[in-house]
Amino acid sequence: MNSVLVASNRGPVSFTVSDDGVLIMRRGGGGLVSGLSGVAKDDGVLWVCAALSDDDRSAVRLSPGGRLDQAGYDTGPLRMLDIPATTFHRAYNAVANSTLWFVNHLLYDIPNAPSFGIRFAREWESYRDYNGAFALALAEEAGHGARVMVQDYHLTLTPAMLRAERPDLRIAHFSHTPWAPPEYFSLLPDEVAGEVLEGILGADHAGFLAERWAAAFMDCCEAVLGAEVDRAAPSVTHEGRTTRIGVHSLGVDGAALWERAGEPDVESHIAAIREQVGDRRLIVRIDRTELSKNIVRGLVAYGEFLAAHPEWHGRVVHLAFAYPSRHDLPEYREYTASVQRCAQEIENEFATEDWDPLILNVHDDYPRSLAAYRMADVLLVNPIRDGMNLVAKEGPVLSPRCALVLSREAGAAAELGPYALMVNPYDISGTAAALHQALVMPEDERRARRDKLRAAATALPPQKWLAAQLDALD
């Protein structure tokens, strides 16, 4: 039986089938995986996750009880759950990504959405079933008194469900997203809003990436549930149980990141990019094509910068890596198309025979991303709203001279703000001006800021982040 367990929707690995029918394992995607995969494997933590694709499900069915580590895969302790595809689709796409994500990132077009009716009630039942599958698996795997770390908005109901099954366990829930203020959170149906909050309050400890997200959660508990909130402790007491609230910022493991960034595949990408761009300055962005990442406004800002500063024509290139995300959802397919249209407009207006002002790539390639970090003169991170944003932390660790243009709505702004060029993510002209300021920044100031960004980014690596939450359960 296991003494420490982590549960999340996405796991540390995913699978694809090769042309000759062989299952190929690769690193999972997403910030949570980046932050947790190394420390979980090294420390022998059992990771419980969902199979996200048919190829993942094939791997699960070839593994005893879904334990991939017991089927010969080098994953560290890992159990992957084969949740029925229809249940998974409704829970993941319709509720987690189309509802809870939209609420906490304030993404709804309010005159038109959301609308909650009979269809949503069916989808919410699937979300309950999905959370129940995780609770059951954790209850089966956990030793007596084990510590269980439940991750993110996909699994808001799991802590309360698990507590009902195993009251001996010490349970934490951690939110990697922002949290909506009560007036926006209350867009959810009353029963659903209450169930989400009570689900998380089933944990002994509820963690957040920044003070503002923790404060918003406590405000919601007070406004929606009428719970007793102690902001000094801080804690929330509801129906006789008290849940402690904690803020645990997540940084990067600088040594591990540099070790990976020095591999030959990264060096080859550096050579290829340098051949493309020559000695021009590089403005880099690395994101998923996710609505909250604000890629379109970032591209428009770059176009406005080029229009205002013709002296930079031929001297700068914007590397925009916008990797596919959630293409099961029509909003995301349209957003990806908007990114591509905007990029083409910049090319049409400014490109010359010997200068491509923008290189847009929509194919996921982690080594190429690391290469771009190492080459960046400017890193643009301008989300509408973001729980943390590890890109803002990884870039300054790897680049020798990176100036960071950072949205004030990223959770990372609480730590990196004093050393970055802060922008309002809706202010295109302000972002364009910040890009120019970053490019012309004197070298001594650039390096001084980069050194402070690097120190802040590596102050709380995943090992310390996980340890702090485990300590909170003691």
Side-chain angles (χ1 to χ4, degrees), residues 106-129:
L106 316 186
L107 289 176
Y108 278 120
D109 174 16
I110 295 297
N112 300 300
S115 297
F116 299 111
I118 294 172
R119 179 177 179 178
F120 181 77
R122 184 173 63 247
E123 292 163 346
W124 183 250
E125 191 59 41
S126 290
Y127 183 77
R128 286 193 185 115
D129 292 343

Side-chain angles (χ1 to χ4, degrees), residues 75 96 163 230 243 245 255 271 294 304 338 431:
T75 59
R163 181 159 303 285
D230 182 344
T243 300
I245 307 301
N294 207 24
E304 189 166 304
S338 296
T431 303

Side-chain angles (χ1 to χ4, degrees), residues 163-237:
R163 181 159 303 285
E165 291 282 335
R166 292 285 305 274
D168 61 294
L169 300 179
R170 291 168 289 171
I171 304 168
H173 183 275
F174 195 87
S175 295
H176 293 262
T177 65
W179 199 271
E183 60 272 19
Y184 206 92
F185 189 77
S186 295
L187 292 173
L188 292 170
D190 292 351
E191 179 185 356
V192 169
E195 200 169 340
V196 167
L197 296 173
E198 289 178 336
I200 292 175
L201 292 178
D204 300 290
H205 183 82
F208 299 86
L209 286 165
E211 293 280 355
R212 63 186 296 196
W213 314 140
F217 174 78
M218 289 188 285
D219 290 345
C220 287
C221 289
E222 189 173 58
V224 175
L225 299 178
E228 178 186 336
V229 174
D230 182 344
R231 290 178 174 80
S235 65
V236 176
T237 300

Side-chain angles (χ1 to χ4, degrees), residues 108-403:
Y108 278 120
D109 174 16
I110 295 297
N112 300 300
S115 297
F116 299 111
I118 294 172
R119 179 177 179 178
F120 181 77
R122 184 173 63 247
E123 292 163 346
W124 183 250
E125 191 59 41
S126 290
Y127 183 77
R128 286 193 185 115
D129 292 343
Y130 169 86
N131 276 258
F134 271 87
L136 181 60
L138 292 165
E140 291 172 350
E141 297 283 357
H144 182 78
R147 293 174 290 181
V148 182
M149 317 285 293
V150 180
Q151 305 296 308
D152 227 359
Y153 62 102
H154 313 88
L155 300 176
T156 62
L157 308 185
T158 298
M161 291 176 168
L162 181 57
R163 181 159 303 285
E165 291 282 335
R166 292 285 305 274
D168 61 294
L169 300 179
R170 291 168 289 171
I171 304 168
H173 183 275
F174 195 87
S175 295
H176 293 262
T177 65
W179 199 271
E183 60 272 19
Y184 206 92
F185 189 77
S186 295
L187 292 173
L188 292 170
D190 292 351
E191 179 185 356
V192 169
E195 200 169 340
V196 167
L197 296 173
E198 289 178 336
I200 292 175
L201 292 178
D204 300 290
H205 183 82
F208 299 86
L209 286 165
E211 293 280 355
R212 63 186 296 196
W213 314 140
F217 174 78
M218 289 188 285
D219 290 345
C220 287
C221 289
E222 189 173 58
V224 175
L225 299 178
E228 178 186 336
V229 174
D230 182 344
R231 290 178 174 80
S235 65
V236 176
T237 300
H238 179 60
E239 295 186 346
R241 286 199 74 258
T242 296
T243 300
R244 295 184 300 278
I245 307 301
V247 175
H248 307 280
S249 178
L250 177 60
V252 299
D253 183 335
L257 187 63
W258 255 114
E259 182 179 2
R260 179 63 186 89
E263 293 289 330
D265 55 351
V266 177
E267 297 289 350
S268 67
H269 278 296
I270 289 175
I273 293 171
R274 186 56 66 195
E275 185 174 352
Q276 265 188 300
V277 303
D279 60 357
R280 297 178 175 95
R281 295 289 183 90
L282 292 182
I283 299 172
V284 171
R285 82 170 303 136
I286 298 170
D287 281 307
R288 294 176 294 113
T289 48
E290 207 290 311
L291 304 181
S292 68
K293 300 301 183 183
N294 207 24
I295 298 170
V296 170
R297 287 191 185 90
L299 291 174
V300 174
Y302 177 62
E304 189 166 304
F305 155 75
L306 292 177
H309 295 280
E311 72 275 14
W312 279 98
H313 291 193
R315 297 173 54 207
V316 65
V317 174
H318 186 12
L319 291 181
F321 296 163
Y323 299 143
S325 180
R326 299 174 185 163
H327 271 212
D328 290 339
L329 303 179
E331 298 95 334
Y332 286 81
R333 293 194 295 273
E334 173 54 32
Y335 191 69
T336 299
S338 296
V339 168
Q340 292 171 324
R341 284 195 298 270
C342 186
Q344 189 60 56
E345 289 168 5
I346 291 172
E347 282 286 305
N348 292 343
E349 183 171 357
F350 296 105
T352 64
E353 288 186 7
D354 59 355
W355 174 52
D356 287 324
L358 172 67
I359 298 173
L360 174 68
N361 202 302
V362 296
H363 302 291
D364 193 359
D365 190 321
Y366 184 60
R368 184 180 57 213
S369 297
L370 295 176
Y373 281 144
R374 286 180 55 183
M375 300 174 71
D377 298 292
V378 178
L379 183 65
L380 175 59
V381 181
N382 67 317
I384 293 169
R385 193 169 167 88
D386 209 325
M388 176 54 62
N389 196 295
L390 288 178
V391 168
K393 295 188 171 184
E394 291 171 340
V397 170
L398 293 181
S399 169
R401 59 185 312 277
C402 172

Side-chain angles (χ1 to χ4, degrees), residues 9-64:
N9 173 70
R10 187 181 299 274
V13 298
S14 62
F15 290 86
T16 55
V17 175
S18 66
D19 292 339
D20 54 0
V22 176
L23 279 171
I24 299 173
M25 187 177 76
R26 60 180 297 182
R27 175 185 179 274
L32 187 151
V33 168
S34 297
L36 269 180
S37 55
V39 64
K41 184 178 178 181
D42 293 345
D43 293 351
V45 175
L46 174 66
W47 196 323
V48 178
C49 66
L52 304 186
S53 67
D54 289 340
D55 294 337
D56 286 352
R57 294 184 183 95
S58 296
V60 172
R61 291 162 189 166
L62 295 172
S63 305

